[in-house]
Amino acid sequence: MSFDQSANKNKFTIIKDDSTDGHGGYGYGSISLENMSSVIVDPNENKAYVDMAAMHARSDIERRVKYLSDKSEVPNGKLYWIVWVNVERNEKGTYFAGVAGSELLVDRPNKRAYKSMPQHVKHMEQSLKGKIVVDHMDDKSKQLLKDFLEDFDRDMWENSTEELKTALSV
């Protein structure tokens, strides 16, 4: 399920069909990211938006910078969050099941950035497993994310767990 509401423009699917359908060939045992979307939270510009290119580390904020593994090497970096949002369905309907935010610091003028790839992968996995991992996010960013999810689809927000609602309350 994609977050894009405009005529299926930005749907993203790695493996559309069940990878365990018995054929045992290419893709067997793989996971589907069909129900995952990447939301960019930009506390600098007070906005949050879907950017499916982040699924492949190709979002606008991630491009044209050199990544460094030491956060201290990007002292003037602007903070962004790539939030991995997984959607599931229960008896009430669809809901935001897994939500995990990964930090990104970008110093555009110096073309430097910091992100921990292991952290991003771990957060994607946690989101797929229905975990809520936002306690390390700043309050402003959590509020932006909450407002975005509520505005995106009020019913999905209402169907979501109290854990998510509490975690994003500031």
Side-chain angles (χ1 to χ4, degrees):
M1 178 166 296
S2 175
F3 278 109
D4 183 31
Q5 293 176 321
S6 60
N8 298 328
K9 188 169 109 181
N10 279 333
K11 282 199 174 177
F12 178 80
T13 303
I14 287 185
I15 299 172
K16 182 164 178 57
D17 298 319
D18 182 6
S19 62
T20 60
D21 65 1
H23 67 80
Y26 178 77
Y28 179 75
S30 298
I31 57 172
S32 171
L33 299 179
E34 187 173 84
N35 294 337
M36 180 175 278
S37 293
S38 45
V39 176
I40 306 293
V41 176
D42 180 351
N44 311 291
E45 299 293 327
N46 295 312
K47 64 182 181 179
Y49 55 94
V50 173
D51 188 338
M52 293 305 289
M55 297 292 285
H56 292 289
R58 300 270 190 246
S59 67
D60 285 341
I61 61 170
E62 294 174 283
R63 295 171 58 192
R64 296 176 295 280
V65 292
K66 178 182 178 183
Y67 283 96
L68 305 169
S69 59
D70 184 355
K71 197 186 279 195
S72 67
E73 294 183 56
V74 191
N76 300 318
K78 287 186 175 183
L79 174 66
Y80 297 91
W81 297 95
I82 298 178
V83 182
W84 311 106
V85 179
N86 198 51
V87 175
E88 296 292 334
R89 176 176 292 282
N90 63 18
E91 63 281 349
K92 296 182 199 173
T94 54
Y95 67 101
F96 302 113
V99 178
S102 298
E103 180 183 43
L104 185 65
L105 297 174
V106 179
D107 180 352
R108 184 72 52 208
N110 293 313
K111 297 183 180 178
R112 295 174 160 236
Y114 164 81
K115 76 174 171 181
S116 168
M117 280 305 292
Q119 180 192 63
H120 282 246
V121 171
K122 179 181 177 182
H123 287 160
M124 285 179 84
E125 180 183 9
Q126 289 174 312
S127 176
L128 283 169
K129 292 179 177 179
K131 305 287 185 199
I132 309 300
V133 185
V134 295
D135 56 324
H136 58 291
M137 293 176 67
D138 61 285
D139 287 348
K140 181 178 181 179
S141 297
K142 286 195 281 190
Q143 185 65 52
L144 288 167
L145 178 59
K146 177 185 177 195
D147 292 346
F148 174 80
L149 294 176
E150 280 184 302
D151 291 344
F152 177 79
D153 190 316
R154 186 74 177 164
D155 290 337
M156 286 176 67
W157 175 257
E158 291 300 324
N159 291 342
S160 296
T161 64
E162 287 306 313
E163 178 188 6
L164 174 63
K165 294 172 187 173
T166 301
L168 292 179
S169 294
V170 283

